[in-house]
């Protein structure tokens, strides 16, 4: 696979080693040898369960795979689960989950059509598994009333909300049965989430469907200007599910290349547009994170079973590997369990379909062909394979083009140095140390909201991801405080453009040694000197004397007392803050 950038530099992808090299190299003679799938009778990685609460939906999105226009999928109907079904599903989960915490996601249809059952299921799950379970709801957002948002957020439920951009783009496809758009209701829910305080921090994931890439640039521009959406970044942007009943065309390289270069030019000029950031991050993610190693013998064909981490339970209590599988591909039921013979047959058929077809394909390592493609004809496979290879070649082109333009490196956390400690970026290998800090009684007493959303490793990863978004927008920084190479605490500044806030915590072994005072002083000076804000605020419990002293030593003033908390404020009037 070869590409040439706009600077007329040629690069080649070597399939055997996963390398990108300069120049044109022909490795088309390399042929893959694939390892036949082994028989399996367990799925040892499963911890996530997606439950289709109902097949009812209050919207009729034009591109929905449950519209009745997709072969093999049901259309919206009145089928829904009941409380007895939830109990039976939880019994199945107890027997099936291999690791904890268990993650349960409610799906539809539109799951909030049966909101009382979701409440029942969450409360039952909390009683059953206590801290060993987390919940999420995949919703179109139109039924998220303020009362429901309060209840879901305060019960720690993640909200995965679908939104396709600002009103003209969203309402073009996401409509109800009468053809009315749904944008206003979704935006109102996001505005409420942004402007209100909850007992727990809202976990919000925004899912965007992009019917046409030609709409992405105006969507990104309008999103950035919207007073509510500008505070969120879409988590995932997906295209439409191929629908062979309506025809799937083979994509054209030159047409796509022109479209994507225009988008890349816009992103280079506007790196703060979060929609384009998410879009290009997803495009180059494989190329940035790929492992470079030589395949010397045979290689397995990538497929979900038996290494899948999730199972889908539909409204008929039937099982699938995930929610994206159409209705033909069920591998059991919660009553009968997994049909291992059927699961193995599907995997073997998938291998047979791909064994010869993929032998000389350059895109084997990054191929996303779904297991359900076993239902497609040879002509349909030809179309899918053509498009799959073309998009991977396009993504390689964009990766090399972005590298040449210096667009692959993100803004980095500035390293700050005092006499006794260093402030720098928090990495994922710091999660264990952060978990110790968050589980400490002192931290939980004085930073309860933060500790509530940092109960698992996945929660902490989500916090780190959120601060990467803050950093990319110059709207926040999270520093790890290190003594030598050991993480001993953190200090963070966030919402610098709207409500500039600072907060911090220290590992119990390193308190009362002056490290936090040095760190808060350094962080405060940095955000002010960098002109990210002219003031910082924080709330401190009246009994948290240590933090009050730290803030006062760093120039913060207690402005007022609210209930049992002091509001502290730092004004950037002193340009000569000391750093040691």
């Amino acid at each position: 696979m070869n590409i040439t950038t706009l600077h007329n530099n040629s690069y080649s992808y070597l399939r055997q080693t996963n390398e990108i090299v300069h120049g044109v190299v022909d490795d088309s003679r390399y042929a893959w040898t694939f390892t036949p799938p082994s028989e399996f009778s367990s799925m040892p990685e499963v911890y996530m369960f997606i439950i289709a609460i109902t097949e009812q939906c209050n919207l009729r999105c034009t591109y929905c795979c449950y519209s009745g226009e997709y072969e093999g999928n049901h259309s919206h109907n009145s089928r829904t689960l009941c409380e007895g079904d939830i109990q039976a599903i939880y019994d199945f989960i107890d027997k099936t989950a291999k690791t904890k915490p268990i993650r349960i996601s409610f799906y539809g249809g539109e799951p909030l059509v049966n909101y009382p059952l979701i409440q029942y299921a969450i409360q039952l799950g909390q009683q059953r598994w206590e801290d060993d379970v987390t919940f999420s709801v995949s919703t179109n957002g139109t039924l998220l009333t303020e009362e429901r948002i309060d209840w879901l957020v305060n019960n720690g439920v993640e909200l995965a909300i679908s939104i396709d951009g600002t009103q003209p783009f969203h309402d073009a496809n996401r409509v109800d049965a009468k053809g009315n758009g749904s944008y206003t209701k979704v935006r109102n829910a996001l505005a409420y989430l942004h402007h209100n305080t909850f007992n727990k921090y809202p976990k919000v994931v925004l899912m965007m469907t992009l019917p046409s890439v030609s709409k992405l640039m105006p969507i990104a521009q309008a999103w950035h200007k919207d007073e509510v959406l500008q505070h969120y970044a879409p988590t995932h942007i997906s295209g439409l599910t191929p629908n062979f009943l309506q025809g799937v065309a083979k994509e054209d390289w030159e047409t796509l290349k022109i479209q994507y270069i225009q988008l890349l030019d816009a992103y280079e000029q506007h790196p703060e547009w979060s929609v384009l950031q998410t879009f290009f991050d997803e495009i180059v993610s494989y190329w940035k994170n790929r492992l470079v190693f030589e395949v010397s013998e045979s290689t397995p064909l990538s497929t979900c079973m038996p290494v899948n981490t999730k199972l889908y339970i539909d409204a008929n209590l039937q099982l699938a590997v995930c929610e994206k599988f159409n209705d033909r591909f069920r591998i059991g039921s919660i009553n009968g369990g997994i049909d291992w013979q059927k699961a193995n047959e599907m995997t073997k058929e998938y291998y047979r379909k791909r064994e010869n077809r993929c032998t000389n394909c350059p895109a084997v390592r990054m191929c996303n062909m779904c297991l359900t493609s076993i239902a497609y004809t040879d002509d349909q496979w030809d179309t899918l394979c053509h498009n799959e290879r073309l998009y991977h070649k396009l993504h390689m082109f964009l990766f090399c083009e972005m590298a040449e333009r210096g667009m692959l490196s993100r803004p980095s956390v500035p390293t700050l140095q005092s006499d006794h400690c260093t402030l720098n970026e928090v990495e994922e290998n710091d999660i264990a140390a952060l978990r110790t800090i968050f589980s400490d009684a002192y931290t939980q007493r004085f930073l309860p909201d933060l500790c509530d959303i940092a109960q698992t490793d996945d929660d902490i990863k989500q916090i780190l991801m959120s601060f990467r978004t803050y950093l990319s927008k110059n709207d926040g920084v999270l520093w790890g405080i290190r003594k030598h190479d050991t993480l001993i605490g953190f200090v963070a500044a966030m919402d610098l453009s709207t409500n500039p806030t600072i907060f911090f915590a220290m590992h119990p072994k390193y308190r009362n040694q002056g490290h936090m005072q040095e760190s808060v002083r350094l962080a405060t000076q940095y955000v002010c000197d960098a002109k990210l804000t002219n003031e910082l605020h924080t709330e401190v419990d009246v009994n948290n004397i240590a933090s009050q002293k730290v803030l006062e030593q760093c120039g913060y003033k207690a402005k007022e007392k609210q209930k049992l908390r002091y509001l502290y404020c730092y004004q950037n009037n002193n340009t000569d803050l000391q750093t040691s």
Side-chain angles (χ1 to χ4, degrees):
M1 190 159 60
N2 316 113
I3 62 95
T4 301
T5 64
L6 298 183
H7 291 87
N8 208 33
N9 295 316
S10 295
Y11 298 92
S12 298
Y13 169 68
L14 307 182
R15 64 192 79 177
Q16 186 177 7
T17 61
N18 222 21
E19 292 176 285
I20 295 175
V21 297
H22 285 280
V24 177
V25 178
D26 181 10
D27 76 338
S28 59
R29 293 184 180 181
Y30 181 79
W32 296 100
T33 301
F34 298 114
T35 307
S38 301
E39 287 282 332
F40 59 92
S41 57
S42 68
M43 297 176 181
E45 306 296 326
V46 171
Y47 74 98
M48 182 175 182
F49 299 85
I50 302 169
I51 302 172
I53 287 285
T54 180
E55 292 181 356
Q56 300 175 39
C57 188
N58 62 323
L59 296 187
R60 291 297 180 267
C61 302
T62 60
Y63 51 67
C64 181
C65 60
Y66 300 120
S67 60
E69 301 296 325
Y70 281 75
E71 186 177 1
N73 275 357
H74 66 268
S75 57
H76 295 304
N77 58 72
S78 60
R79 187 176 292 111
T80 191
L81 301 181
C82 65
E83 291 183 0
D85 294 329
I86 298 297
Q87 294 177 19
I89 289 170
Y90 283 3
D91 289 341
F92 169 79
I93 290 175
D94 250 341
K95 292 183 292 186
T96 307
K98 301 302 181 183
T99 61
K100 292 184 178 180
I102 297 164
R103 181 170 174 82
I104 295 174
S105 178
F106 300 110
Y107 195 73
E110 168 51 50
L112 292 181
V113 166
N114 199 344
Y115 175 66
L117 187 61
I118 289 178
Q119 285 185 299
Y120 170 80
I122 291 170
Q123 290 171 329
L124 183 65
Q126 289 171 338
Q127 293 170 8
R128 188 162 189 155
W129 293 294
E130 297 180 343
D131 293 336
D132 279 331
V133 65
T134 61
F135 296 96
S136 67
V137 174
S138 295
T139 174
N140 60 40
T142 61
L143 302 179
L144 282 172
T145 63
E146 293 181 3
E147 179 183 0
R148 290 179 176 184
I149 291 172
D150 288 345
W151 192 89
L152 291 167
V153 171
N154 290 332
N155 276 274
V157 180
E158 178 184 273
L159 302 175
I161 302 172
S162 297
I163 182 168
D164 291 352
T166 52
Q167 188 160 13
F169 308 102
H170 181 95
D171 285 352
N173 298 288
R174 300 191 66 81
V175 296
D176 62 19
K178 296 181 179 180
N180 299 315
S182 58
Y183 174 77
T184 300
K185 293 179 180 178
V186 181
R187 188 182 185 277
N188 288 343
L190 291 174
Y192 183 74
L193 281 160
H194 177 66
H195 292 301
N196 287 271
T197 302
F198 304 91
N199 293 335
K200 294 191 176 183
Y201 189 82
K203 305 174 186 177
V204 180
V205 173
L206 298 187
M207 312 299 289
M208 179 184 292
T209 300
L210 188 66
S212 171
V213 74
S214 65
K215 302 293 184 183
L216 188 63
M217 197 182 308
I219 289 173
Q221 184 176 18
W223 186 291
H224 181 69
K225 292 180 178 179
D226 188 277
E227 293 181 356
V228 171
L229 297 185
Q230 64 182 221
H231 298 289
Y232 296 91
T235 308
H236 177 60
I237 301 174
S238 61
L240 299 183
T241 303
N243 186 356
F244 283 103
L245 284 180
Q246 297 181 357
V248 178
K250 288 186 176 181
E251 300 282 8
D252 176 70
W253 165 257
E254 291 298 332
T255 301
L256 279 178
K257 183 179 173 183
I258 291 170
Q259 284 183 314
Y260 278 69
I261 288 172
Q262 291 172 344
L263 288 170
L264 186 61
D265 290 342
Y267 182 40
E268 187 174 26
Q269 296 173 19
H270 302 285
E272 73 280 7
W273 288 4
S274 60
V275 170
L276 290 185
Q277 180 183 322
T278 298
F279 182 72
F280 281 102
D281 280 354
E282 292 188 319
I283 279 176
V284 301
S285 61
Y286 173 81
W287 297 98
K288 287 180 67 174
N289 301 319
R290 73 191 191 283
L291 297 176
V292 176
F293 65 94
E294 182 173 352
V295 176
S296 56
E297 298 178 355
S298 64
T299 186
L301 277 169
S302 60
T303 183
C304 42
M305 293 190 290
V307 295
N308 50 302
T309 59
K310 62 182 177 180
L311 285 173
Y312 172 60
I313 302 165
D314 69 19
N316 291 307
L317 303 181
Q318 300 295 300
L319 303 174
V321 181
C322 84
E323 73 280 8
K324 296 178 182 178
F325 275 38
N326 68 38
D327 293 6
R328 297 179 184 180
F329 297 97
R330 297 297 184 252
I331 56 170
S333 68
I334 64 163
N335 295 320
I338 296 172
D339 184 335
W340 296 111
Q341 180 179 352
K342 188 172 184 180
N344 277 279
E345 287 173 354
M346 286 175 58
T347 303
K348 290 175 183 177
E349 185 176 354
Y350 178 79
Y351 172 81
R352 289 192 293 269
K353 285 268 189 178
R354 292 192 61 184
E355 182 181 13
N356 295 322
R357 175 178 288 273
C358 304
T359 299
N360 296 107
C361 179
V364 164
R365 291 202 189 205
M366 69 285 290
C367 181
N368 293 315
M369 194 73 78
C370 178
L371 181 63
T372 57
S373 56
I374 58 178
Y376 296 141
T377 66
D378 286 341
D379 287 342
Q380 291 170 341
W381 269 80
D382 288 342
T383 298
L384 292 173
C385 288
H386 167 86
N387 291 345
E388 187 81 5
R389 286 192 296 268
L390 186 148
Y391 273 105
H392 288 305
K393 180 178 178 180
L394 179 66
H395 294 173
M396 175 187 164
F397 165 80
L398 291 166
F399 172 75
C400 295
E401 185 69 26
M402 292 174 73
E404 291 188 350
R405 298 188 191 192
M407 296 175 65
L408 292 180
S409 58
R410 289 197 173 187
S412 58
V413 174
T415 298
L416 309 178
Q417 190 75 48
S418 75
D419 288 346
H420 302 101
C421 55
T422 301
L423 275 64
N424 57 19
E425 186 169 7
V426 179
E427 306 282 359
E428 288 199 4
N429 57 13
D430 294 316
I431 286 178
L434 289 172
R435 196 188 319 117
T436 300
I437 295 172
F438 289 131
S439 61
D440 176 66
Y442 188 90
T443 310
Q444 291 181 343
R445 178 184 179 190
F446 295 126
L447 285 177
D449 294 344
L450 183 61
C451 292
D452 281 344
I453 63 167
Q455 296 182 9
T456 68
D457 287 1
D458 284 342
D459 292 340
I460 297 173
K461 287 179 184 178
Q462 185 63 48
I463 293 170
L464 299 187
M465 289 176 61
S466 298
F467 269 96
R468 291 188 190 110
T469 302
Y470 276 120
L471 185 67
S472 68
K473 299 179 180 180
N474 284 327
D475 205 30
V477 189
L478 171 64
W479 283 280
I481 305 170
R482 300 185 193 276
K483 191 171 181 64
H484 307 301
D485 291 328
T486 302
L487 187 83
I488 65 172
F490 65 84
V491 57
M494 60 183 284
D495 293 330
L496 297 179
S497 61
T498 55
N499 181 31
T501 304
I502 190 169
F503 59 93
F504 44 85
M506 183 65 71
H507 191 286
K509 291 183 180 179
Y510 296 92
R511 292 187 183 127
N512 303 314
Q513 298 175 33
H515 300 311
M516 188 56 77
Q517 182 177 315
E518 290 182 356
S519 301
V520 171
R521 184 177 279 116
L522 284 169
T524 301
Q525 179 174 352
Y526 174 82
V527 296
C528 292
D529 285 354
K531 298 182 179 179
L532 301 178
T533 183
N534 285 319
E535 61 183 36
L536 282 165
H537 307 272
T538 192
E539 293 182 359
V540 183
D541 190 287
V542 294
N543 296 309
N544 190 353
I545 306 301
S547 290
Q548 294 171 33
K549 289 182 178 179
V550 165
L551 291 166
E552 289 165 4
Q553 289 294 322
C554 294
Y556 287 75
K557 306 294 183 184
K559 292 294 185 180
E560 58 182 292
K561 183 178 180 181
Q562 297 178 343
K563 295 183 179 179
L564 297 177
R565 305 177 77 82
Y566 288 115
L567 177 62
Y568 275 82
C569 178
Y570 176 83
Q571 297 284 345
N572 187 26
N573 298 320
N574 176 14
T575 59
D576 297 321
L577 264 178
Q578 299 299 310
T579 59
S580 62

